[in-house]
Amino acid sequence: MLFFSSLPFCFGILFSGFLLENGASSTTTAWIYNLFLVVWNLSMILANPLSQEFGQRTVGFASVFMASLSLILSGFSPSVSFLYFSYSLLGGMCTGVSIGITCMVLPPYFHKKGGQANTLLVAGGPVTQMVLAPFIRYLLEVYSLKGAALIHAAVVLNGLIAVSFFHPVQWHLKPLMSAGSDVSCRIPCLSDEIEESTTREKSRGVKAIWKTLLRVAGRIRSDLKVLRQLRCVILAVTVMITQTTFLNLIMMLPFVAQATDHSLQDATGCIALMGVTNLVTRLVVSPLSDCKRFSIRFSIMLGYLLRAIGILVASLASELWQFMASGVVCGLGLGLSLSMFNLAIVQYMGMDNLRPTLGIIGLVAAGGFPILGPLIGVIRDTTNSYLTSLCVMAALDLLSVCLWLLMPAAQARDARTELRPKTSYDATRP
C-alpha cells in the first residue's frame, strides 16, 4: 500500500514546479490529477476478475512495473499534455488495480481480530505522506525533476517484494475436512477462483483470449448486482465525495501555501504532519474496532466532520502554525475515517460481497472525479482565490456525514427487500 499510494499523494510535491514553469492553470492541473483519480477508480473494478483469471501476484507484479514506468515517463515529460498519458492514464490504471488487490488479500485471512490486522494495511497511506513527501522534496532540490522521478520509480519497484507475499488463502489452509471434500468452498470467493483457473486451463487455443475477455466481462456484470443494495450506494457515494476532497486537498496544498506567502517546504511539512497524525490515529483506532462497543459508523462520521473542520482552518490560516494545525486536524479525521474503510465494507456488506463492493466503490468514485475535481479548479480560477474552493470541499465532507446518518434506514430497507417474497408468477413457476 505504501508504494502504490505514493503516486497520488506526491503529485503536488513532484510536479508543482514543472506545472508552474510551463504556465499550467489550476483547471489544467485539476484535470490531470482528477483524470488520474478517474482511471484509478475505474480500474478497481478490474481487480477482482483479473485476479481470479490470472492470479493476484501476477496482476500485482504487472501493476508495480507499470507504476514505475509511469513515474519515469512523467519525469521526462516533454510537455504538460503528456502527463495525461504518462501519469493520468498509465499511473491511474496500475494504482487502481494494485490497491484493489491489496484490499482484497487481507480480510479472508482473519475472522477474528480483523481490526488489529487491518492496522498494518491502513498504515501505508500515512507513511507515504510522512516519509516520501519530504524525501521527494529533497530529491527535487538535489537532482531536479528527472532525477527525482527516476529514484521514485526505483523505490516503487520494491513493491515487487511485497506483492510476492500475496498468497491465496488456500495455500495455507490445513486439511480439516475429508479427502473427498473441498475446503475452499467454506471460504468466500475461493471456489470461484478455482473454477476460473480450471476453465482457463481448458481454453488453451485460438479462442483463449476471447473466452478470457468474456469471463472478465461476466465477472464485472455479476459484481454490478451489489448496487441494488442501498447500503452499497451510501458507501460508494460517500467514498466518492471524501476521496475527491482529500486527494484534491493534498494536490492543492503546495499551491495554497505558495499563494499565502508560505514556501513549498512549509506545504511539505503540513502534508508530513498530516501523515503523522493520520498514522498515529489509524494505529490507535483500528485495533479498537475489535471491541464490542466500538462503533465503526460513529468513527467514520466523526472523521468526516474533523476533515471538514481542518479544511476550513486551512482556508482561513494566515500564520504558519494555523496552517500546520489544519494538517493535524485533517490527519485526525483521515485516521478515524479511512482506517474503517475495509472494516465498514465487511460489516455492512458481508465478506462475500467484499470484492464486488470494492469494485463498485471505485466505479462510482470514478464518476465523481471528472465532475467535482475540475469544478474545484474552475472555482479557483473564477474567484482567483483558494478560499472558496476549500469551503466547497469542506461542505462536501459535511454532506458525507449526513449520508451516513441514513445508514440505519438503508439497512432496514435492504433487509425488507431481502425478505420480500417473490411474485406469484415466480412462486408458481415450475
Side-chain angles (χ1 to χ4, degrees), residues 127 172 251 425:
V127 169
H172 304 281
M251 180 272 294
Y425 175 78

Side-chain angles (χ1 to χ4, degrees), residues 58-104:
T58 301
V59 179
F61 288 143
S63 299
V64 172
F65 280 116
M66 288 177 61
S68 181
L69 178 62
S70 170
L71 287 169
I72 294 174
L73 294 176
S74 299
F76 288 83
S77 176
S79 63
V80 173
S81 300
F82 187 77
L83 291 177
Y84 284 108
F85 165 73
S86 62
Y87 180 81
S88 301
L89 182 59
L90 187 61
M93 182 178 298
C94 64
T95 302
V97 173
S98 57
I99 290 181
I101 293 176
T102 303
C103 293
M104 296 174 186

Side-chain angles (χ1 to χ4, degrees), residues 7 15 26 34 41 45 50 116 120 129 139 177 185 190 228 264 270 278 302 311 351 356 365 396 429:
L7 270 72
F15 297 110
S26 298
N34 283 276
N41 284 275
I45 201 170
L50 288 179
Q116 297 180 26
L120 298 177
Q129 294 176 249
L139 293 177
M177 302 180 66
C185 64
L190 293 189
R228 299 173 182 175
L264 184 61
C270 182
N278 188 2
L302 180 60
I311 294 174
M351 184 67 73
L396 290 173
R429 181 181 295 178

Side-chain angles (χ1 to χ4, degrees), residues 96-377:
V97 173
S98 57
I99 290 181
I101 293 176
T102 303
C103 293
M104 296 174 186
V105 169
L106 185 65
Y109 276 92
F110 296 91
H111 297 286
K112 296 180 179 180
K113 298 183 179 180
Q116 297 180 26
N118 187 64
T119 303
L120 298 177
L121 174 65
V122 299
V127 169
T128 301
Q129 294 176 249
M130 184 175 58
V131 177
L132 284 184
F135 178 63
I136 290 176
R137 181 191 60 81
Y138 169 77
L139 293 177
L140 287 171
E141 294 177 353
V142 177
Y143 300 105
S144 73
L145 175 60
K146 294 181 179 179
L150 285 173
I151 297 176
H152 190 185
V155 171
V156 170
L157 282 177
N158 286 275
L160 294 172
I161 301 175
V163 172
S164 65
F165 291 95
F166 284 8
H167 296 170
V169 182
Q170 64 266 32
W171 289 11
H172 304 281
L173 291 176
K174 296 181 181 180
L176 300 177
M177 302 180 66
S178 60
S181 302
D182 187 4
V183 72
S184 65
C185 64
R186 302 180 63 185
I187 307 296
C189 305
L190 293 189
S191 57
D192 292 338
E193 293 179 1
I194 295 177
E195 181 180 353
E196 292 293 344
S197 61
T198 303
T199 305
R200 187 172 66 251
E201 291 175 358
K202 295 180 180 179
S203 61
R204 305 291 184 183
V206 180
K207 298 182 179 180
I209 297 179
W210 176 247
K211 291 183 178 180
T212 299
L213 293 176
L214 288 178
R215 287 195 298 269
V216 172
R219 176 63 60 181
I220 294 175
R221 182 180 179 182
S222 177
D223 291 348
L224 290 174
K225 294 180 181 179
V226 297
L227 266 178
R228 299 173 182 175
Q229 303 183 34
L230 194 55
R231 294 165 294 169
C232 180
V233 174
I234 292 179
L235 283 167
V237 172
T238 53
V239 169
M240 174 197 71
I241 294 174
T242 55
Q243 194 178 49
T244 303
T245 56
F246 164 54
L247 294 175
N248 277 275
L249 176 65
I250 296 296
M251 180 272 294
M252 192 179 293
L253 274 180
F255 301 95
V256 174
Q258 296 177 64
T260 54
D261 297 329
H262 297 300
S263 64
L264 184 61
Q265 183 175 358
D266 295 334
T268 304
C270 182
I271 295 175
L273 192 59
M274 187 188 305
V276 172
T277 311
N278 188 2
L279 175 62
V280 173
T281 306
R282 294 190 188 200
L283 294 177
V284 173
V285 173
S286 189
L288 291 177
S289 63
D290 292 329
C291 300
K292 294 182 179 180
R293 296 185 178 181
F294 185 88
S295 174
I296 292 178
R297 176 168 164 261
F298 177 77
S299 176
I300 292 175
M301 292 172 60
L302 180 60
Y304 291 162
L305 179 61
L306 289 175
R307 287 168 56 168
I309 295 174
I311 294 174
L312 289 175
V313 172
S315 65
L316 301 174
S318 58
E319 299 183 9
L320 181 58
W321 71 268
Q322 296 173 340
F323 193 62
M324 296 299 178
S326 68
V328 173
V329 177
C330 283
L332 183 60
L334 290 169
L336 287 169
S337 57
L338 294 181
S339 61
M340 298 293 106
F341 176 67
N342 262 14
L343 301 177
I345 296 176
V346 174
Q347 175 174 325
Y348 289 100
M349 299 300 299
M351 184 67 73
D352 291 338
N353 288 325
L354 172 64
R355 293 186 174 198
T357 304
L358 282 170
I360 293 303
I361 286 176
L363 182 64
V364 175
F369 287 120
I371 300 174
L372 298 179
L375 177 62
I376 294 172

